[in-house]
Amino acid sequence: MSTNVAEAAEAVVPEVSKGERFRSYDVDAFEVPGGREEDWRFTPMRRLRGLHDGSAEPSGSATVEVIGEASVETVDRTDSRLGEAGIPGDRIAAQAYSAFETATVVSVPAETKLEGPVTVTVTGPGTDQVAYGHIQVRAERFAEATVVLDHRGSGIYADNVEIVAGDGAKLSVVVVTDWADDAVHVSAQHTKLGRDATLRHTLVALGGDLVRVSPTVQFSQPGADAELDGLYFADAHQHFEHRLFVDHAVPNCRSNVVYKGALQGVDAHTVWIGDVLIRAAAEGTETFELNRNLVLTQGARADSVPNLEIETGEIVSAGHASATGRFDDEQLFYLQARGIPEDQARRLVVRGFFHELLMKIDVPEVRERLESAIEAELEAVGA
Amino acid sequence: MSTLEIKDLHVAVNTDEGQKELLHGVNLTIKSDETHAIMGPNGSGKSTLSYAIAGHPKYEVTSGSVTLDGEDVLEMSVDERARAGLFLAMQYPVEVPGVSMSNFLRTAATAVRGEAPKLRHWVKEVKESMGALDIDPAFAERSVNEGFSGGEKKRHEILQLDLLNPKFAILDETDSGLDVDALRVVSEGVNRYREDGGHGIMLITHYTRILKHIKPDFVHVFAGGKVVESGGPELADKLEEEGYVAYTGNKKEAATV
């Protein structure tokens, strides 16, 4: 389903616009969510392990290691750059902001192009341990870089990730959540783009008990381009939630969202919320968002909620599409009718489903790791 | 010498109103080096016959048998039937996004031949086969059937026929939706397969025009879910003259284009 400009211009703006959402650094400024609020209605609150109600006291720390050519600083909360990309918009993000001890700032100097990727490895605090973190990735004006945020290990972890792309910068950030089975991770990822900046944000969710990532994109100047891609593969009992908010507040920016997920096993649950707001000033906006889910077995559930708010008709295009389906039996029949055994045919179809996104990941090591992770997931159910 | 034997085949589909029988006892035997044209009006069950032989899950065989050289085809899974030597060129080939044609062809050839073809020979083989069907080499890197025109899809069905080299080919309305040039190219591909020797063809069609390119040895008229008349090539000429009216009572059903 796609919304054309004429129809879109008539869309009713809900009373409470996503653009008006409350934001604060202060955890106590937010009420403790009970689970019925719009923001939390899909999240199994019990499995948040107290991140949302103040009971999760920090008991350990996540380690952050950075490999690559970027400059790396460990700073405290007085650093004036912190908060530049965005202010926490929910209680857990505010909790993380209130509780982190040191922040890691990874920056790429102006007019510098890094050849290889920068890898930031975040290792969880350990089983049943709680930690809060803060990471800022900065590409100064006309810088070009690829940064991988790789999450591994165990524990309960909430953080704010800030991504700042200066004027004309080209930044690719690949976020991999490859946690151990017990891990709980709630991450607010604030992105701010300067004039003519290009950002590609790729989220890859593979492991963890509950992983909830909320990327927000804020355009501060015209001409910027944001590409948000996501791949997720949820197994039995895993909850992967993605809440996107793209805020078109200035003219002539472009955003494109493509999230694809596969689910298998009992109580595998994925959530995709795609909110796009085109404010009155954002003439010439071009935006599209797409979510596709492939449900491989019984008992898995995918929720998908696209939402487009449009306050001006003077835009290039705006639309969204969402589809959740089971395996296409016709595709399987076709492949099998050419002699390909069923398990192999299923693998071909799933690999094909993720193909366009995999090909866009510009770090070969990450891409290969994902390909083998997908293979391993499929082997696991004997698909 | 191989034989594909269909005996008293009854096939049904499940609908909201319960099970509905579409084929009411089909009898047909095809041997290597024979080309059988199955002709019939729309809705006569021609495509059902082809899908039932290939093993499409939607169609349930309620009685009768299909054997390939005495082996029970109906006991085999869809992929086993293909590996046993049956090939169905589909009327509506399915799109498989994200799977490249070259990957698909190689995976299928590996499955059917029982071993991966040697890469160097394979590349040459595919290139020659594509060339013979006037297929642009760029198609090898495109997703299977995705965004292909009707004619491009049909050419690729015949490409698969050529590369997989089955004992029997069932061509389900391969001629429909083809322009004159595409019909010629596709027919030449089928004729090459036929002239290779040892191959049997079941050519399902609504129209007689493809029979000017691919000459059948036998013609069967299909109506109401079974074969109602069989004969030689002259039966096609009769159909061209008179249409299917004698079999359906419907004057509008013409066999010619």
Side-chain angles (χ1 to χ4, degrees), chain B:
Chain B
M1 166 68 87
S2 287
T3 307
L4 176 65
E5 192 169 18
I6 300 155
K7 270 194 190 156
D8 193 29
L9 190 70
H10 291 254
V11 173
V13 286
N14 290 310
T15 68
D16 292 340
E17 290 91 48
Q19 208 174 53
K20 186 182 172 201
E21 189 171 278
L22 300 176
L23 298 187
H24 312 291
V26 177
N27 290 291
L28 191 65
T29 300
I30 301 180
K31 294 191 166 68
S32 303
D33 298 309
E34 292 179 358
T35 297
H36 293 246
I38 311 279
M39 302 195 61
N42 290 327
S44 59
K46 307 188 298 287
S47 284
T48 301
L49 175 64
S50 70
Y51 276 123
I53 297 170
H56 193 288
K58 195 178 135 192
Y59 300 96
E60 191 188 327
V61 174
T62 48
S63 69
S65 67
V66 178
T67 56
L68 175 59
D69 295 332
E71 297 283 328
D72 185 355
V73 169
L74 301 178
E75 279 297 305
M76 301 178 194
S77 66
V78 175
D79 48 296
E80 283 168 347
R81 295 178 197 204
R83 294 199 296 277
L86 294 177
F87 179 90
L88 169 61
M90 297 191 201
Q91 186 178 0
Y92 303 109
V94 180
E95 300 188 357
V96 191
V99 177
S100 72
M101 204 40 137
S102 67
N103 182 16
F104 164 63
L105 292 174
R106 194 170 156 79
T107 305
T110 301
V112 167
R113 297 177 190 183
E115 59 176 352
K118 295 259 185 309
L119 198 57
R120 247 189 54 211
H121 298 288
W122 174 248
V123 170
K124 189 164 167 262
E125 196 183 341
V126 173
K127 202 175 148 196
E128 284 177 1
S129 189
M130 287 177 90
L133 289 160
D134 275 348
I135 296 172
D136 186 326
F139 276 94
E141 293 318 311
R142 288 177 58 176
S143 291
V144 172
N145 292 322
E146 193 178 42
F148 290 19
S149 71
E152 285 158 358
K153 285 181 181 169
K154 296 300 173 71
R155 283 171 205 239
H156 280 87
E157 292 294 286
I158 303 307
L159 173 66
Q160 292 161 47
L161 170 69
D162 188 35
L163 294 170
L164 300 180
N165 195 35
K167 289 178 184 159
F168 289 95
I170 302 163
L171 310 175
D172 186 8
E173 305 218 10
T174 296
D175 53 329
S176 67
L178 294 184
D179 62 29
V180 174
D181 279 343
L183 181 66
R184 180 183 50 77
V185 168
V186 162
S187 300
E188 284 170 3
V190 175
N191 284 331
R192 279 193 298 278
Y193 165 76
R194 182 187 187 180
E195 285 151 18
D196 263 356
H199 296 145
I201 297 174
M202 184 195 291
L203 180 66
I204 294 173
T205 182
H206 182 81
Y207 304 115
T208 52
R209 67 170 187 162
I210 195 171
L211 306 183
K212 295 186 174 71
H213 299 271
I214 304 168
K215 300 285 182 202
D217 304 304
F218 304 92
V219 174
H220 309 274
V221 181
F222 212 78
K226 55 185 178 183
V227 176
V228 291
E229 190 175 353
S230 296
E234 73 287 344
L235 183 53
D237 299 332
K238 185 182 152 210
L239 286 171
E240 176 151 7
E241 295 284 315
E242 300 170 12
Y244 296 117
V245 60
Y247 309 100
T248 63
N250 183 348
K251 289 187 173 39
K252 285 180 189 155
E253 281 285 2
T256 53
V257 187

Side-chain angles (χ1 to χ4, degrees), chain A residues 362-381:
Chain A
D362 45 12
V363 187
E365 306 85 78
V366 173
R367 192 170 62 227
E368 282 157 24
R369 189 169 136 206
L370 297 184
E371 279 169 344
S372 45
I374 291 169
E375 292 292 316
E377 299 269 11
L378 290 170
E379 294 283 346
V381 283

